[in-house]
Amino acid sequence: MKNFVLRGNLCTSRTRNCFQWVPHGYLVCEEGRSAGMFAELPERFADYPLQDWGDCLILPGLVDLHIHAPQYAFRGTGMDLELLEWLNERAFPEEERYADLEYAREAYGIFAENMKASATTRACIFATRHRQATELLMDLMEATGLGTMVGKVNMDRNCPDGLREGTEESLQETERWLEEIEGRYERTEPILTPRFIPACSDAVMRGLGRLQRDSGLPVQSHLSENQEEAAWVRELCPWAGCYGEAYEGFGLFGGDGQRTVMAHCVWPTAEETALLRARGVFVAHCPQSNTNLCSGIAPVREYLDMGVRVGLGTDVAAGCGESIFRAMADAVQVSKLRFKLAEGAGRPLTLEEAFFLGTKGGGAFFGKVGSLEAGYEMDAVVVDDRGLARPGGLTLRERLERVVYLSGPEHIRAKYVRGREIFVR
Amino acid sequence: MKNFVLRGNLCTSRTRNCFQWVPHGYLVCEEGRSAGMFAELPERFADYPLQDWGDCLILPGLVDLHIHAPQYAFRGTGMDLELLEWLNERAFPEEERYADLEYAREAYGIFAENMKASATTRACIFATRHRQATELLMDLMEATGLGTMVGKVNMDRNCPDGLREGTEESLQETERWLEEIEGRYERTEPILTPRFIPACSDAVMRGLGRLQRDSGLPVQSHLSENQEEAAWVRELCPWAGCYGEAYEGFGLFGGDGQRTVMAHCVWPTAEETALLRARGVFVAHCPQSNTNLCSGIAPVREYLDMGVRVGLGTDVAAGCGESIFRAMADAVQVSKLRFKLAEGAGRPLTLEEAFFLGTKGGGAFFGKVGSLEAGYEMDAVVVDDRGLARPGGLTLRERLERVVYLSGPEHIRAKYVRGREIFVR
C-alpha cells in the first residue's frame, strides 16, 4: 500500500450539521487510511509523492447503501407503475434473465463500468437469486476496485416460477455460494439478502437467521416501503407487532454486533422506529425510488432526531441512476415536500445533512468510512467543476452545492478506495 | 428557407395521452414547417436532401415557458432557502450585477451557449430590470437561433434599492426598450414582464396594461407560487378576489387574444383556476423550483381536467438547470408525491402527459409549435441514446422514457428551429 498526498480543496462532514474545509489543503494517505487533512504539509510527510489537483474539490467517496445490479439494465424505464405492479411487470422479468450467464456478463459489465466511473466508492448491492451470476457480479465488482457488499438474493414464494427457489434449495445455494467465494476477494464481501418478507418463507428466514449467527455476515433487505406491502406483511406474520419485528423474530434485524441495513423505511410505526434505533439497524433512504414508485417520503428528520442511523441509496432501477450526488439533492427535495405537505413533518434536510448521509452516514456501515478525517479508510473523489461554467467567483460551499445538484461522472477526475487509485483522468 | 428530410425514429405527442411513432420514418421540412411524418417517403419529396440519423430518436424541440437568464449564473446554489428569503439573499443581489454590461456579457454568454446546446428550442425568458443588458441578452439569444421571448423586468417596489426603478422610469425604460429593438430580430420577441404584484406598484401595472392594449405584446409573470406571497398580494390588492384577479384588474391576465403565461400557480383558489381557464392564461408548471423553494406542488392534474393550458418551465435558478427533459421527469415525480400525500389529489401524470406538457402544451404559447405533425413549425431535436448503455433491446417508448430520465445535452446530435439548423455534431 503506497503512501501519498493529494492537494486540493478538501471538504468532509465533521458532524451532520457542519462541513470541515481545508482550502488548497493536503490530504495524506498512509497505509490505506487518511493520516489527516492539513493546511500546510507537515514535515514528516514531505517525502510522500504529491498529486496536486489545483483548484479541484476533494471529497470523501460516496456510499450507496442500496442498489440492485440486475435492474441497472432497465434503469429509466417503467416509471409509471407502483411497487407491487412494478416488481411483477419490470423487476422480476428482468431478473429472470440472469440465469443466462452470457446475458449477466454483458449487463453486469455495464453496471460495473458505470459504478466505477461514478463518485461512489462503497455500495451494498443486491444481485439476483442466481448463484453463478452473483459470483460473476462479485468478480466484476472486485475488478473495479470499489469496496462492495454483494448479496445472492433469497426468494422462495410470491414471485414468478422462473425466480422462485425451493426452500431447501434457497438455503443450500446460499451456503454453496459462500463456500465458493471464500477467500476469493480482497474488497468484495458477501451479504445475506432475503429479498423481503413477502418473498421469503418462514423456513428460509429461519435458515438465514441461523447462517447469520454462525457466520457473522451482514444483512440487507427491504422494510416498510409501501403501505400495501406493510399490510401484506401483517397478514404473513401476524405474530409480529410491526414489519421490523418480523425480521427480528428471525434473527435478521441487527443487535449483538449484527450489521443490518434496511432499504426505504417510509412507513414505520413508532414501535418500528424505536426498534430500528435499539438494534442499530441502518436505514438506506432512497428518496427517488420512493417517489418513482409512489411509495411516499421517509421520515428522515425524525430518524435523525431519534438517533436512527441513516445513509442514502439510489435503489436502481426504481431510482433512475447510480448517482449518490443526485440522491443527496433528492433527499433535500423530498424532505421539503414532506415538510410542506405532510402533517407534523419536521423541517427539511440541509445540504450539510444530505452530504453527511451520502458519505459518513452510510459509510459507518462499512466501518471507519465516509470521511477524509484522520483514521478513516482513504476513499476520495477529485471533482473538477470547471465544466459547470459560471461568470463569477463562488465560495467552496457553493461549489460543493453545485456539484451535488449539477455534476455527472464526467466531472470526476480521480477516485481512490482505501488509498488505491481506481482511476485518474 | 431550405426544404429537407430527416430520417430516424420519429416521436411526437398526438394528444395528451398518446404518442405518435414512426419508426425509421421520414420527417419532411418545407418552408420552415413540417410537411408531415411518413413511414415511406412520398415521391413528391424525393428530391429534397435527406439526413439519415439511423437509429436515433427525432423529437419535437422542447419548450421552456419560464426561465430567468440572469439567475443562471448561480444555478445549483442557495437551495436551502424559501422563496422570499431566496429572492432577497440570492436572486436580487445577483440581478443587481446586470447594471454592469461587461458582467452581463459574460454571464448571458454562458446562458445562451448552454441554452443552445440543450434540447430546448423555445423559451420565455426573464431578463432583469436593466434595459441595456436586456437588449444584450436578446442579441445573444437571436444569435443562438432559438425562438425566444425575452422580457425586461418591471419592478418599482419591495426590492433592493439597486434594483428598484422609479415608477415613471419603469414605464419609460420599457417603452424605450421596445423602440430600440423594433425590427432588430427575426426570432427574438419582446414580452411584457412585470416581476410579480408585490414588486410592481398599481401605477406600473396600469401603465403596462395600457402598453399591452396598444401593442398586443404577450405577458409573463408569476402567480400564486407560495402561500405567504399570496397572502401578501391579498393585502396589496384588497379589491381583488384572488391573486389572478389582481393581474386581470390591470389588463394583464389574458383574454381578448392576449397571450399570457403565469409561472407556478401552486396555490390557486377555485376562483383563480376558473379565471385561468376562462382567460386562456398558460400555466408554466415549474416542478423543481416549487420543490426547491418549499413552495409546494401545483395541481396540474386538476388544471388538465379543467381545460387550463399548461406547459413546463425550468425556472432557473430556483430550478437547478435548463433541462426540460428533467422538468418532465420532475413533473411526473412531484405529481406522484402529491397523489400520495395531498388530500384529494388527482392521479399522477404519465410519461405521455409530461412529454406533451414539455412540447405541444407549452408550444401552443408560441403558435403552431411543439409537434412534428404537418403544419407545425419545424422545431426538432435528434437524440442519440447509444451512450446510455444497455444490454438488451428496448421499445421506442422505453428509449424515450430513458431519454427523459437520463439524458443530458451530450446526447443531442442535432437541433432545428423553424427548419433552421442550430447545430449538428
Side-chain angles (χ1 to χ4, degrees), chain A residues 99-352:
Chain A
D100 172 356
L101 282 178
E102 274 320 294
Y103 183 78
R105 188 177 306 280
E106 188 187 356
Y108 282 154
I110 293 169
F111 171 77
E113 191 179 331
N114 287 6
M115 288 295 280
K116 180 173 175 173
S118 76
T120 298
T121 51
R122 307 276 176 151
C124 292
I125 303 173
F126 276 57
T128 63
R129 67 97 145 177
H130 309 95
R131 175 177 46 78
Q132 287 170 294
T134 302
E135 293 179 25
L136 174 63
L137 173 61
M138 294 179 87
D139 293 348
L140 291 166
M141 291 315 299
E142 179 75 5
T144 63
L146 307 199
T148 61
M149 299 189 194
V150 177
K152 177 215 153 323
V153 173
N154 298 90
M155 48 200 300
D156 70 336
R157 65 175 178 182
N158 294 316
C159 56
D161 291 347
L163 280 180
R164 187 165 51 242
E165 304 172 297
T167 300
E168 275 313 300
E169 177 199 17
S170 183
L171 294 169
Q172 282 164 5
E173 285 289 286
T174 303
E175 284 174 24
R176 184 164 164 202
W177 163 57
L178 294 172
E179 283 161 25
E180 290 192 347
I181 60 162
E182 198 175 345
R184 202 198 283 184
Y185 307 115
E186 237 183 275
R187 43 193 164 261
T188 313
E189 295 174 70
I191 180 168
L192 296 177
T193 307
R195 183 164 207 125
F196 68 153
I197 296 268
C200 297
S201 68
D202 290 4
V204 157
M205 294 299 282
R206 271 195 301 269
L208 291 174
R210 274 194 303 272
L211 190 53
Q212 198 288 318
R213 221 168 33 244
D214 297 345
S215 64
L217 286 173
V219 177
Q220 63 182 351
S221 195
H222 297 92
L223 180 69
S224 298
E225 177 171 2
N226 165 302
Q227 289 165 301
E228 249 180 290
E229 172 216 14
W232 193 9
V233 172
R234 280 194 297 277
E235 280 173 36
L236 293 167
C237 300
W239 48 268
C242 63
Y243 194 163
E245 220 181 278
Y247 287 108
E248 191 195 17
F250 298 116
L252 295 165
F253 205 65
D256 307 318
Q258 181 190 107
R259 283 185 298 169
T260 298
V261 59
M262 289 284 160
H264 309 307
C265 308
V266 177
W267 299 103
T269 59
E271 184 189 7
E272 191 160 277
T273 303
L275 197 62
L276 283 164
R277 180 179 184 283
R279 311 282 299 180
V281 171
F282 281 73
V283 170
H285 174 45
C286 306
Q288 196 194 134
S289 162
N290 300 155
T291 299
N292 286 334
L293 297 183
C294 268
S295 302
I297 304 175
V300 175
R301 168 64 60 212
E302 289 80 341
Y303 287 144
L304 295 177
D305 286 349
M306 301 271 299
V308 175
R309 308 171 87 169
V310 186
L312 296 178
T314 57
D315 194 25
V316 166
C320 71
E322 70 278 14
S323 170
I324 286 287
F325 284 135
R326 170 74 188 258
M328 292 176 187
D330 289 335
V332 171
Q333 289 175 331
V334 301
S335 77
K336 289 172 175 174
L337 292 176
R338 187 165 179 275
F339 171 68
K340 196 73 202 169
L341 299 178
E343 194 75 41
R347 66 185 196 287
L349 299 182
T350 62
L351 176 67
E352 279 76 3

Side-chain angles (χ1 to χ4, degrees), chain A residues 73 75-82 90 94 97 103 106-107 110 227 267 288 290-297 320-321 326 330 332-334 336-342 348-352 388-392 394 397-398 401-402 405-406, chain B residues 73 75-82 90 94 97 103 106-107 110 227 267 288 290-297 320-321 326 330 332-334 336-342 348-352 388-392 394 397-398 401-402 405-406:
Chain A
R75 71 196 185 284
T77 71
M79 291 305 193
D80 288 349
L81 304 169
E82 283 198 48
R90 309 296 307 199
E94 176 67 24
R97 306 185 67 175
Y103 183 78
E106 188 187 356
I110 293 169
Q227 289 165 301
W267 299 103
Q288 196 194 134
N290 300 155
T291 299
N292 286 334
L293 297 183
C294 268
S295 302
I297 304 175
C320 71
R326 170 74 188 258
D330 289 335
V332 171
Q333 289 175 331
V334 301
K336 289 172 175 174
L337 292 176
R338 187 165 179 275
F339 171 68
K340 196 73 202 169
L341 299 178
L349 299 182
T350 62
L351 176 67
E352 279 76 3
L388 303 171
R390 61 180 192 265
L394 293 172
R397 185 186 183 282
E398 286 169 335
E401 192 172 14
R402 276 161 41 107
Y405 280 86
L406 299 172
Chain B
R75 70 195 185 284
T77 71
M79 290 304 194
D80 288 349
L81 304 170
E82 283 198 48
R90 310 296 307 199
E94 176 67 24
R97 306 185 66 173
Y103 183 78
E106 187 188 356
I110 294 169
Q227 289 166 301
W267 298 103
Q288 196 193 137
N290 300 156
T291 299
N292 286 333
L293 297 183
C294 268
S295 301
I297 304 175
C320 70
R326 170 76 189 257
D330 289 335
V332 170
Q333 290 175 331
V334 300
K336 290 172 175 174
L337 292 176
R338 187 165 180 275
F339 171 68
K340 197 73 203 170
L341 299 178
L349 299 182
T350 62
L351 176 68
E352 279 76 3
L388 303 170
R390 61 181 192 264
L394 293 173
R397 186 186 181 282
E398 286 169 336
E401 193 172 12
R402 276 162 39 109
Y405 280 86
L406 299 173

Side-chain angles (χ1 to χ4, degrees), chain B residues 102-408:
Chain B
E102 273 320 293
Y103 183 78
R105 188 177 305 279
E106 187 188 356
Y108 281 155
I110 294 169
F111 171 76
E113 191 179 330
N114 286 6
M115 288 295 280
K116 181 174 175 174
S118 76
T120 298
T121 51
R122 307 277 176 150
C124 292
I125 303 173
F126 276 57
T128 62
R129 66 98 147 176
H130 309 94
R131 176 177 46 77
Q132 287 170 295
T134 303
E135 294 179 23
L136 173 64
L137 174 61
M138 294 180 86
D139 294 347
L140 291 167
M141 291 315 298
E142 179 75 7
T144 63
L146 307 198
T148 62
M149 299 189 193
V150 177
K152 177 214 156 321
V153 173
N154 298 91
M155 48 199 301
D156 71 336
R157 65 175 178 181
N158 294 316
C159 56
D161 291 346
L163 280 180
R164 187 165 50 240
E165 304 172 296
T167 301
E168 275 312 300
E169 179 198 16
S170 182
L171 294 168
Q172 282 165 4
E173 286 288 286
T174 303
E175 284 175 22
R176 184 163 165 203
W177 163 57
L178 294 171
E179 283 162 25
E180 289 193 346
I181 61 163
E182 197 175 343
R184 202 197 285 184
Y185 307 115
E186 238 183 276
R187 46 193 163 258
T188 313
E189 295 174 70
I191 180 168
L192 296 177
T193 307
R195 183 165 206 125
F196 68 153
I197 297 268
C200 297
S201 69
D202 292 3
V204 157
M205 293 299 282
R206 271 194 301 269
L208 290 174
R210 273 193 304 273
L211 190 53
Q212 198 288 320
R213 222 166 34 243
D214 296 345
S215 64
L217 286 174
V219 177
Q220 64 182 351
S221 194
H222 298 93
L223 181 69
S224 298
E225 178 172 2
N226 166 303
Q227 289 166 301
E228 249 180 290
E229 172 217 15
W232 193 9
V233 171
R234 281 194 296 277
E235 279 173 36
L236 293 166
C237 301
W239 48 268
C242 64
Y243 193 162
E245 221 180 279
Y247 287 109
E248 191 196 17
F250 298 117
L252 295 166
F253 206 66
D256 307 318
Q258 180 189 110
R259 283 186 298 169
T260 298
V261 58
M262 288 284 160
H264 308 307
C265 308
V266 176
W267 298 103
T269 59
E271 184 190 7
E272 191 160 276
T273 302
L275 196 62
L276 283 163
R277 180 178 184 283
R279 310 282 298 179
V281 171
F282 281 73
V283 170
H285 174 44
C286 305
Q288 196 193 137
S289 162
N290 300 156
T291 299
N292 286 333
L293 297 183
C294 268
S295 301
I297 304 175
V300 175
R301 168 63 61 212
E302 289 80 341
Y303 286 144
L304 295 176
D305 286 349
M306 300 271 300
V308 175
R309 308 171 89 169
V310 186
L312 296 179
T314 57
D315 194 25
V316 166
C320 70
E322 70 278 14
S323 170
I324 285 288
F325 284 135
R326 170 76 189 257
M328 293 176 187
D330 289 335
V332 170
Q333 290 175 331
V334 300
S335 76
K336 290 172 175 174
L337 292 176
R338 187 165 180 275
F339 171 68
K340 197 73 203 170
L341 299 178
E343 194 75 40
R347 66 185 195 288
L349 299 182
T350 62
L351 176 68
E352 279 76 3
E353 290 173 319
F355 190 81
F356 176 91
L357 295 180
T359 56
K360 219 169 176 178
F365 191 72
F366 288 82
K368 197 97 175 152
V369 167
S371 173
L372 302 181
E373 294 161 294
Y376 280 79
E377 297 192 30
M378 229 294 287
D379 292 8
V381 289
V382 177
V383 184
D384 185 347
D385 58 348
R386 282 173 300 181
L388 303 170
R390 61 181 192 264
L394 293 173
T395 66
L396 289 173
R397 186 186 181 282
E398 286 169 336
R399 288 175 58 192
L400 177 65
E401 193 172 12
R402 276 162 39 109
V403 165
V404 167
Y405 280 86
L406 299 173
S407 76

Side-chain angles (χ1 to χ4, degrees), chain A residues 16-61:
Chain A
R16 173 149 76 79
N17 296 307
C18 178
F19 290 129
Q20 177 173 2
W21 288 103
V22 187
H24 295 293
Y26 300 85
L27 173 63
V28 178
C29 177
E30 272 192 322
E31 305 293 324
R33 291 187 181 267
S34 168
M37 303 160 67
F38 304 95
E40 302 290 337
L41 188 65
E43 190 53 37
R44 66 186 185 281
F45 306 124
D47 291 343
Y48 290 3
L50 182 145
Q51 277 186 312
D52 192 337
W53 287 103
D55 200 35
C56 287
L57 300 172
I58 301 180
L59 312 174

